[in-house]
Amino acid sequence: MTAHAPVVLDVAGTALDAADRRRLQHPLVGGLILFARNWVDRRRLVALTAEVKAIRPDLLICVDHEGGRVQRFRSDGFTQLPPMRRLGELWMRDAMAATDAATACGFVLASELRACGVDLSFTPVLDLDHGPSGVIGDRAFHRDPRVVALLAKSLMHGLLLAGMAHCGKHFPGHGFVAADSHVDVPVDRRTLKAILADDAQPYAWLSTSLAGVMPAHVVYPKVDVRPAGFSARWLREILRGRLGFTGAVFSDDLSMAGARRVDGREVTYAEAAVAALAAGCDLVLLCNQSVDGGEAVDALLDGLEAAAARGDWTPDADSERRRLALLPRTEPLPWDELMHAAAYLHALDRLP
């Protein structure tokens, strides 16, 4: 086992080039995240994921595939899943039917992705639907943290039945702020007590269920001056210490505006990665930086190697174990078999 492979990167196209292959073999690379630009059809997706696994069988192949507007693969047989708010609306009419529908969503989502060689989707969204957040919006199940926790757990059950782990996001909650952390640094001025009593509750109630968590690029100044993903107070003291979370922590995308300022100054991707890992992240994502040649990806890998050599960052064997624990343990059903599988057809019938 490598000492620690914390970097999750992307590739520019629908097939690997020589630079992609070189980066995927780098000992600090532990995962690949796919986007809509990597998609043309199922055949080419299967070929891409198979080539990745031939290079590095231990790489975690990930995607943001939640349903609604955040679903990277939508054609060539992929089911277009509903936004999670629809499950929350169903809950208000029939709570038990909503839990079954949520499990069906998770099962369909994971079965289709795994049939194409994808290991993990960054779902479920545990943010509360407070209203003002456009970036969250209908991606959230509900305003009530109890409903969010139970529907998310039902969705996670469906993922698990198809052999897929999961990642709850965005800890401790992104739904209260209107600003979008892709382009801004949102600030949530509530107290720790208020956040723990509301937005962070799903993480407490799911503490023994969650396999992965992604913190928000949001600053909560009454708790820490740093965004949650760079805050040891949030990740080590509160998420792991107070809430008891034992799974993997992913940084959100380090190229987002909310990740580019740490302690009041602009930072490089390598500096952001070191800060996230030091705060308690196990893995760091750098997205959409391969499309113009990937110089930023190489700079991150070189910078992280240099930081380790200087002692600014120490690879963590526990983090590597948490990364490897997210890999599927079972073989997926191939697509053509899946299309006739009784459990899959039943789940399709239960979608809201």
Short mmCIF file of all heavy atoms in Angstrom, two decimals, residues 297-344:
data_model
loop_
_atom_site.label_atom_id
_atom_site.label_comp_id
_atom_site.label_asym_id
_atom_site.label_seq_id
_atom_site.Cartn_x
_atom_site.Cartn_y
_atom_site.Cartn_z
N VAL A 297 -2.11 20.89 -12.63
CA VAL A 297 -2.12 19.58 -11.97
C VAL A 297 -0.69 19.16 -11.64
O VAL A 297 -0.40 18.69 -10.53
CB VAL A 297 -2.81 18.53 -12.87
CG1 VAL A 297 -2.91 17.20 -12.13
CG2 VAL A 297 -4.19 18.99 -13.29
N ASP A 298 0.20 19.33 -12.61
CA ASP A 298 1.60 18.99 -12.37
C ASP A 298 2.19 19.84 -11.26
O ASP A 298 2.96 19.35 -10.42
CB ASP A 298 2.41 19.16 -13.66
CG ASP A 298 2.06 18.12 -14.71
OD1 ASP A 298 1.69 16.99 -14.32
OD2 ASP A 298 2.16 18.43 -15.91
N ALA A 299 1.83 21.13 -11.24
CA ALA A 299 2.34 22.02 -10.19
C ALA A 299 1.85 21.57 -8.81
O ALA A 299 2.60 21.63 -7.82
CB ALA A 299 1.91 23.45 -10.46
N LEU A 300 0.60 21.13 -8.74
CA LEU A 300 0.07 20.63 -7.47
C LEU A 300 0.85 19.40 -7.02
O LEU A 300 1.27 19.29 -5.86
CB LEU A 300 -1.41 20.29 -7.60
CG LEU A 300 -2.03 19.50 -6.43
CD1 LEU A 300 -1.96 20.28 -5.14
CD2 LEU A 300 -3.46 19.10 -6.74
N LEU A 301 1.06 18.42 -7.93
CA LEU A 301 1.76 17.20 -7.57
C LEU A 301 3.21 17.49 -7.17
O LEU A 301 3.70 16.96 -6.17
CB LEU A 301 1.70 16.20 -8.73
CG LEU A 301 0.30 15.67 -9.07
CD1 LEU A 301 0.33 14.87 -10.36
CD2 LEU A 301 -0.25 14.83 -7.93
N ASP A 302 3.87 18.35 -7.94
CA ASP A 302 5.25 18.70 -7.61
C ASP A 302 5.31 19.44 -6.27
O ASP A 302 6.20 19.20 -5.44
CB ASP A 302 5.85 19.59 -8.70
CG ASP A 302 6.07 18.84 -10.02
OD1 ASP A 302 6.03 17.59 -10.00
OD2 ASP A 302 6.26 19.51 -11.06
N GLY A 303 4.36 20.36 -6.05
CA GLY A 303 4.34 21.13 -4.82
C GLY A 303 4.06 20.27 -3.60
O GLY A 303 4.64 20.49 -2.52
N LEU A 304 3.20 19.28 -3.77
CA LEU A 304 2.87 18.40 -2.65
C LEU A 304 4.06 17.50 -2.32
O LEU A 304 4.37 17.24 -1.14
CB LEU A 304 1.63 17.57 -2.99
CG LEU A 304 0.79 17.00 -1.85
CD1 LEU A 304 0.45 18.05 -0.81
CD2 LEU A 304 -0.48 16.36 -2.41
N GLU A 305 4.76 17.03 -3.36
CA GLU A 305 5.98 16.25 -3.13
C GLU A 305 7.02 17.09 -2.38
O GLU A 305 7.66 16.61 -1.44
CB GLU A 305 6.56 15.80 -4.48
CG GLU A 305 6.03 14.48 -4.96
CD GLU A 305 6.79 13.96 -6.16
OE1 GLU A 305 7.19 14.76 -7.03
OE2 GLU A 305 6.98 12.73 -6.24
N ALA A 306 7.19 18.33 -2.82
CA ALA A 306 8.16 19.21 -2.16
C ALA A 306 7.77 19.49 -0.71
O ALA A 306 8.62 19.53 0.18
CB ALA A 306 8.28 20.52 -2.94
N ALA A 307 6.46 19.66 -0.46
CA ALA A 307 5.99 19.91 0.90
C ALA A 307 6.27 18.71 1.79
O ALA A 307 6.65 18.88 2.96
CB ALA A 307 4.50 20.23 0.88
N ALA A 308 6.10 17.50 1.25
CA ALA A 308 6.41 16.30 2.03
C ALA A 308 7.90 16.22 2.33
O ALA A 308 8.30 15.86 3.45
CB ALA A 308 5.94 15.06 1.28
N ALA A 309 8.71 16.58 1.34
CA ALA A 309 10.16 16.53 1.55
C ALA A 309 10.61 17.54 2.61
O ALA A 309 11.54 17.27 3.37
CB ALA A 309 10.88 16.80 0.22
N ARG A 310 9.93 18.70 2.65
CA ARG A 310 10.26 19.72 3.65
C ARG A 310 9.70 19.41 5.02
O ARG A 310 10.04 20.05 6.01
CB ARG A 310 9.71 21.09 3.21
CG ARG A 310 10.38 21.72 2.02
CD ARG A 310 9.94 23.18 1.88
NE ARG A 310 8.49 23.34 1.84
CZ ARG A 310 7.76 23.34 0.73
NH1 ARG A 310 8.35 23.19 -0.45
NH2 ARG A 310 6.45 23.51 0.78
N GLY A 311 8.77 18.47 5.08
CA GLY A 311 8.09 18.18 6.34
C GLY A 311 6.87 19.04 6.60
O GLY A 311 6.30 19.00 7.69
N ASP A 312 6.43 19.81 5.57
CA ASP A 312 5.23 20.63 5.72
C ASP A 312 3.95 19.78 5.67
O ASP A 312 2.90 20.22 6.11
CB ASP A 312 5.16 21.70 4.61
CG ASP A 312 6.28 22.72 4.74
OD1 ASP A 312 6.90 22.78 5.82
OD2 ASP A 312 6.52 23.45 3.76
N TRP A 313 4.08 18.59 5.10
CA TRP A 313 2.95 17.66 5.03
C TRP A 313 3.49 16.25 5.21
O TRP A 313 4.51 15.90 4.62
CB TRP A 313 2.22 17.78 3.69
CG TRP A 313 1.27 16.65 3.45
CD1 TRP A 313 0.14 16.37 4.17
CD2 TRP A 313 1.37 15.61 2.46
NE1 TRP A 313 -0.47 15.23 3.69
CE2 TRP A 313 0.26 14.75 2.64
CE3 TRP A 313 2.28 15.34 1.44
CZ2 TRP A 313 0.04 13.64 1.83
CZ3 TRP A 313 2.07 14.22 0.64
CH2 TRP A 313 0.95 13.38 0.83
N THR A 314 2.82 15.47 6.04
CA THR A 314 3.25 14.09 6.28
C THR A 314 2.19 13.14 5.76
O THR A 314 1.03 13.19 6.20
CB THR A 314 3.44 13.85 7.80
OG1 THR A 314 4.39 14.79 8.29
CG2 THR A 314 3.93 12.43 8.05
N PRO A 315 2.53 12.29 4.79
CA PRO A 315 1.56 11.30 4.32
C PRO A 315 1.01 10.47 5.48
O PRO A 315 1.72 10.18 6.43
CB PRO A 315 2.38 10.44 3.34
CG PRO A 315 3.46 11.36 2.87
CD PRO A 315 3.80 12.22 4.06
N ASP A 316 -0.27 10.11 5.38
CA ASP A 316 -0.99 9.52 6.50
C ASP A 316 -1.53 8.15 6.09
O ASP A 316 -2.40 8.05 5.20
CB ASP A 316 -2.13 10.45 6.90
CG ASP A 316 -2.87 10.02 8.15
OD1 ASP A 316 -2.87 8.81 8.44
OD2 ASP A 316 -3.46 10.87 8.82
N ALA A 317 -1.04 7.09 6.71
CA ALA A 317 -1.48 5.74 6.37
C ALA A 317 -2.96 5.54 6.70
O ALA A 317 -3.67 4.80 6.00
CB ALA A 317 -0.63 4.71 7.11
N ASP A 318 -3.47 6.19 7.75
CA ASP A 318 -4.89 6.07 8.08
C ASP A 318 -5.75 6.70 6.98
O ASP A 318 -6.81 6.17 6.62
CB ASP A 318 -5.20 6.76 9.41
CG ASP A 318 -4.66 5.98 10.60
OD1 ASP A 318 -4.48 4.75 10.47
OD2 ASP A 318 -4.41 6.59 11.65
N SER A 319 -5.30 7.81 6.44
CA SER A 319 -6.02 8.43 5.33
C SER A 319 -6.06 7.51 4.13
O SER A 319 -7.08 7.41 3.43
CB SER A 319 -5.35 9.76 4.94
OG SER A 319 -5.61 10.76 5.89
N GLU A 320 -4.94 6.84 3.86
CA GLU A 320 -4.91 5.92 2.73
C GLU A 320 -5.86 4.74 2.95
O GLU A 320 -6.56 4.31 2.02
CB GLU A 320 -3.49 5.41 2.49
CG GLU A 320 -3.33 4.49 1.30
CD GLU A 320 -3.60 5.16 -0.05
OE1 GLU A 320 -3.84 6.38 -0.10
OE2 GLU A 320 -3.58 4.44 -1.06
N ARG A 321 -5.95 4.24 4.16
CA ARG A 321 -6.90 3.16 4.45
C ARG A 321 -8.33 3.64 4.23
O ARG A 321 -9.17 2.89 3.72
CB ARG A 321 -6.73 2.67 5.89
CG ARG A 321 -5.59 1.67 6.06
CD ARG A 321 -5.64 1.00 7.43
NE ARG A 321 -5.18 1.90 8.47
CZ ARG A 321 -3.91 2.03 8.84
NH1 ARG A 321 -2.97 1.34 8.23
NH2 ARG A 321 -3.57 2.85 9.81
N ARG A 322 -8.61 4.89 4.63
CA ARG A 322 -9.97 5.41 4.42
C ARG A 322 -10.27 5.57 2.93
O ARG A 322 -11.41 5.34 2.50
CB ARG A 322 -10.13 6.73 5.16
CG ARG A 322 -10.21 6.56 6.67
CD ARG A 322 -10.61 7.82 7.39
NE ARG A 322 -9.54 8.78 7.55
CZ ARG A 322 -8.78 8.90 8.63
NH1 ARG A 322 -8.95 8.09 9.66
NH2 ARG A 322 -7.84 9.83 8.70
N ARG A 323 -9.26 5.96 2.14
CA ARG A 323 -9.47 6.05 0.69
C ARG A 323 -9.78 4.68 0.11
O ARG A 323 -10.75 4.51 -0.65
CB ARG A 323 -8.21 6.62 0.00
CG ARG A 323 -8.36 6.77 -1.51
CD ARG A 323 -7.07 7.20 -2.18
NE ARG A 323 -6.09 6.13 -2.29
CZ ARG A 323 -6.06 5.24 -3.27
NH1 ARG A 323 -6.98 5.24 -4.23
NH2 ARG A 323 -5.12 4.31 -3.30
N LEU A 324 -8.97 3.70 0.44
CA LEU A 324 -9.16 2.35 -0.11
C LEU A 324 -10.48 1.73 0.32
O LEU A 324 -11.07 0.93 -0.41
CB LEU A 324 -7.98 1.46 0.29
CG LEU A 324 -6.62 1.86 -0.30
CD1 LEU A 324 -5.51 1.03 0.32
CD2 LEU A 324 -6.61 1.72 -1.81
N ALA A 325 -10.98 2.13 1.49
CA ALA A 325 -12.25 1.59 1.98
C ALA A 325 -13.44 2.04 1.13
O ALA A 325 -14.51 1.42 1.19
CB ALA A 325 -12.48 2.02 3.44
N LEU A 326 -13.26 3.08 0.32
CA LEU A 326 -14.34 3.57 -0.54
C LEU A 326 -14.46 2.77 -1.83
O LEU A 326 -15.46 2.88 -2.55
CB LEU A 326 -14.11 5.05 -0.89
CG LEU A 326 -14.14 6.02 0.29
CD1 LEU A 326 -13.68 7.40 -0.16
CD2 LEU A 326 -15.53 6.09 0.91
N LEU A 327 -13.46 1.97 -2.16
CA LEU A 327 -13.52 1.17 -3.39
C LEU A 327 -14.57 0.07 -3.27
O LEU A 327 -14.75 -0.50 -2.19
CB LEU A 327 -12.15 0.55 -3.68
CG LEU A 327 -11.06 1.52 -4.14
CD1 LEU A 327 -9.69 0.87 -4.00
CD2 LEU A 327 -11.32 1.95 -5.57
N PRO A 328 -15.26 -0.25 -4.36
CA PRO A 328 -16.27 -1.32 -4.29
C PRO A 328 -15.65 -2.66 -3.91
O PRO A 328 -14.50 -2.95 -4.25
CB PRO A 328 -16.82 -1.37 -5.72
CG PRO A 328 -16.54 -0.02 -6.30
CD PRO A 328 -15.24 0.40 -5.68
N ARG A 329 -16.44 -3.45 -3.20
CA ARG A 329 -15.99 -4.77 -2.75
C ARG A 329 -16.53 -5.89 -3.64
O ARG A 329 -16.12 -7.04 -3.51
CB ARG A 329 -16.46 -5.04 -1.32
CG ARG A 329 -15.95 -4.07 -0.29
CD ARG A 329 -14.48 -4.33 0.01
NE ARG A 329 -14.09 -3.82 1.32
CZ ARG A 329 -13.87 -2.53 1.58
NH1 ARG A 329 -14.04 -1.64 0.63
NH2 ARG A 329 -13.48 -2.14 2.78
N THR A 330 -17.51 -5.59 -4.47
CA THR A 330 -18.17 -6.61 -5.28
C THR A 330 -18.05 -6.26 -6.76
O THR A 330 -17.87 -5.10 -7.12
CB THR A 330 -19.66 -6.72 -4.92
OG1 THR A 330 -20.28 -5.43 -5.12
CG2 THR A 330 -19.84 -7.14 -3.47
N GLU A 331 -18.19 -7.27 -7.61
CA GLU A 331 -18.21 -7.03 -9.05
C GLU A 331 -19.57 -6.46 -9.46
O GLU A 331 -20.60 -6.93 -8.99
CB GLU A 331 -17.96 -8.34 -9.80
CG GLU A 331 -16.53 -8.84 -9.70
CD GLU A 331 -15.54 -7.88 -10.34
OE1 GLU A 331 -15.81 -7.40 -11.46
OE2 GLU A 331 -14.50 -7.60 -9.71
N PRO A 332 -19.60 -5.46 -10.34
CA PRO A 332 -20.88 -4.93 -10.79
C PRO A 332 -21.52 -5.83 -11.84
O PRO A 332 -20.83 -6.64 -12.49
CB PRO A 332 -20.49 -3.58 -11.41
CG PRO A 332 -19.11 -3.83 -11.95
CD PRO A 332 -18.46 -4.77 -10.97
N LEU A 333 -22.83 -5.68 -12.01
CA LEU A 333 -23.48 -6.33 -13.14
C LEU A 333 -23.15 -5.56 -14.41
O LEU A 333 -23.28 -4.34 -14.44
CB LEU A 333 -25.01 -6.32 -12.95
CG LEU A 333 -25.64 -7.38 -12.07
CD1 LEU A 333 -27.16 -7.21 -12.07
CD2 LEU A 333 -25.28 -8.78 -12.55
N PRO A 334 -22.74 -6.24 -15.48
CA PRO A 334 -22.58 -5.55 -16.76
C PRO A 334 -23.92 -4.95 -17.20
O PRO A 334 -24.99 -5.42 -16.81
CB PRO A 334 -22.12 -6.66 -17.71
CG PRO A 334 -21.62 -7.75 -16.83
CD PRO A 334 -22.41 -7.67 -15.57
N TRP A 335 -23.84 -3.91 -18.03
CA TRP A 335 -25.03 -3.14 -18.40
C TRP A 335 -26.15 -4.03 -18.95
O TRP A 335 -27.31 -3.90 -18.53
CB TRP A 335 -24.66 -2.06 -19.42
CG TRP A 335 -25.78 -1.10 -19.67
CD1 TRP A 335 -26.81 -1.25 -20.56
CD2 TRP A 335 -26.01 0.15 -19.01
NE1 TRP A 335 -27.66 -0.17 -20.49
CE2 TRP A 335 -27.19 0.70 -19.55
CE3 TRP A 335 -25.32 0.86 -18.02
CZ2 TRP A 335 -27.71 1.93 -19.14
CZ3 TRP A 335 -25.82 2.08 -17.61
CH2 TRP A 335 -27.00 2.61 -18.16
N ASP A 336 -25.83 -4.91 -19.88
CA ASP A 336 -26.89 -5.71 -20.52
C ASP A 336 -27.57 -6.64 -19.52
O ASP A 336 -28.79 -6.88 -19.62
CB ASP A 336 -26.32 -6.51 -21.70
CG ASP A 336 -25.94 -5.62 -22.87
OD1 ASP A 336 -26.38 -4.45 -22.90
OD2 ASP A 336 -25.18 -6.08 -23.76
N GLU A 337 -26.82 -7.15 -18.56
CA GLU A 337 -27.43 -7.97 -17.51
C GLU A 337 -28.25 -7.10 -16.57
O GLU A 337 -29.34 -7.49 -16.13
CB GLU A 337 -26.36 -8.71 -16.72
CG GLU A 337 -25.71 -9.86 -17.47
CD GLU A 337 -24.70 -10.58 -16.59
OE1 GLU A 337 -24.99 -10.80 -15.39
OE2 GLU A 337 -23.62 -10.95 -17.11
N LEU A 338 -27.72 -5.92 -16.24
CA LEU A 338 -28.43 -5.01 -15.34
C LEU A 338 -29.81 -4.67 -15.89
O LEU A 338 -30.79 -4.59 -15.12
CB LEU A 338 -27.61 -3.73 -15.15
CG LEU A 338 -28.22 -2.65 -14.25
CD1 LEU A 338 -28.32 -3.15 -12.81
CD2 LEU A 338 -27.39 -1.37 -14.32
N MET A 339 -29.92 -4.46 -17.19
CA MET A 339 -31.19 -4.05 -17.80
C MET A 339 -32.30 -5.08 -17.62
O MET A 339 -33.48 -4.76 -17.77
CB MET A 339 -30.99 -3.77 -19.30
CG MET A 339 -30.13 -2.56 -19.61
SD MET A 339 -30.78 -1.00 -18.93
CE MET A 339 -29.70 -0.75 -17.51
N HIS A 340 -31.91 -6.32 -17.29
CA HIS A 340 -32.91 -7.38 -17.07
C HIS A 340 -32.97 -7.86 -15.62
O HIS A 340 -33.70 -8.80 -15.31
CB HIS A 340 -32.62 -8.57 -18.00
CG HIS A 340 -32.69 -8.22 -19.45
ND1 HIS A 340 -31.57 -7.88 -20.19
CD2 HIS A 340 -33.74 -8.12 -20.30
CE1 HIS A 340 -31.93 -7.60 -21.43
NE2 HIS A 340 -33.24 -7.73 -21.52
N ALA A 341 -32.20 -7.22 -14.74
CA ALA A 341 -32.13 -7.66 -13.35
C ALA A 341 -33.40 -7.24 -12.61
O ALA A 341 -33.84 -6.09 -12.69
CB ALA A 341 -30.91 -7.07 -12.67
N ALA A 342 -33.99 -8.17 -11.86
CA ALA A 342 -35.27 -7.90 -11.19
C ALA A 342 -35.16 -6.74 -10.21
O ALA A 342 -36.06 -5.88 -10.15
CB ALA A 342 -35.74 -9.17 -10.47
N ALA A 343 -34.08 -6.68 -9.43
CA ALA A 343 -33.96 -5.61 -8.43
C ALA A 343 -33.87 -4.24 -9.10
O ALA A 343 -34.44 -3.25 -8.61
CB ALA A 343 -32.72 -5.85 -7.56
N TYR A 344 -33.16 -4.16 -10.22
CA TYR A 344 -33.02 -2.90 -10.96
C TYR A 344 -34.37 -2.48 -11.56
O TYR A 344 -34.77 -1.31 -11.43
CB TYR A 344 -31.96 -3.06 -12.04
CG TYR A 344 -31.84 -1.89 -12.98
CD1 TYR A 344 -31.19 -0.71 -12.58
CD2 TYR A 344 -32.37 -1.94 -14.26
CE1 TYR A 344 -31.07 0.36 -13.45
CE2 TYR A 344 -32.24 -0.88 -15.14
CZ TYR A 344 -31.60 0.28 -14.72
OH TYR A 344 -31.49 1.33 -15.58
#
